[in-house]
Amino acid sequence: HGWYTFLFRRMYAGLPVQFIHKENLREELLAFVRAHGADSPALVQHVRHAPPSNTTSHAPYRSYYSPALARQVAEREREVVDRFGYAF
């Protein structure tokens, strides 16, 4: 297994953790707070309409990997790749 799979297992194994993807941050954050009864009209309004902050532009993550490296990462980090729905 790869380094990130090792870290993931060490940090989160057996814990009831819910992750929020930054790619869908607003929608997943609202779903999380609703599921835990922590939403309010003000919070929903803020999450939906606050301007983005601390953002940067990046190419799609797949473009940073050569075909050989993508295969290696997909194989060694399969658990993490599958858990978060990534694909190469």
Side-chain angles (χ1 to χ4, degrees):
H1 296 287
W3 176 245
Y4 290 103
T5 298
F6 166 78
L7 287 178
F8 182 83
R9 288 177 177 175
R10 184 166 177 94
M11 292 169 50
Y12 303 114
L15 296 175
V17 178
Q18 182 175 352
F19 294 92
I20 296 174
H21 298 84
K22 71 175 188 171
E23 299 89 350
N24 303 311
L25 180 62
R26 292 178 193 254
E27 298 82 16
E28 291 184 26
L29 178 59
L30 288 174
F32 178 84
V33 296
R34 282 188 189 115
H36 292 85
D39 61 329
S40 69
L43 177 64
V44 171
Q45 178 75 8
H46 179 76
V47 170
R48 284 191 178 147
H49 301 289
S53 64
N54 196 24
T55 62
T56 58
S57 296
H58 296 281
Y61 71 89
R62 290 178 188 99
S63 69
Y64 294 108
Y65 297 86
S66 69
L69 182 58
R71 283 190 301 276
Q72 185 177 9
V73 170
E75 178 184 319
R76 295 190 75 185
E77 303 293 353
R78 175 147 326 278
E79 186 175 330
V80 173
V81 169
D82 290 347
R83 168 67 175 84
F84 292 100
Y86 296 121
F88 289 93

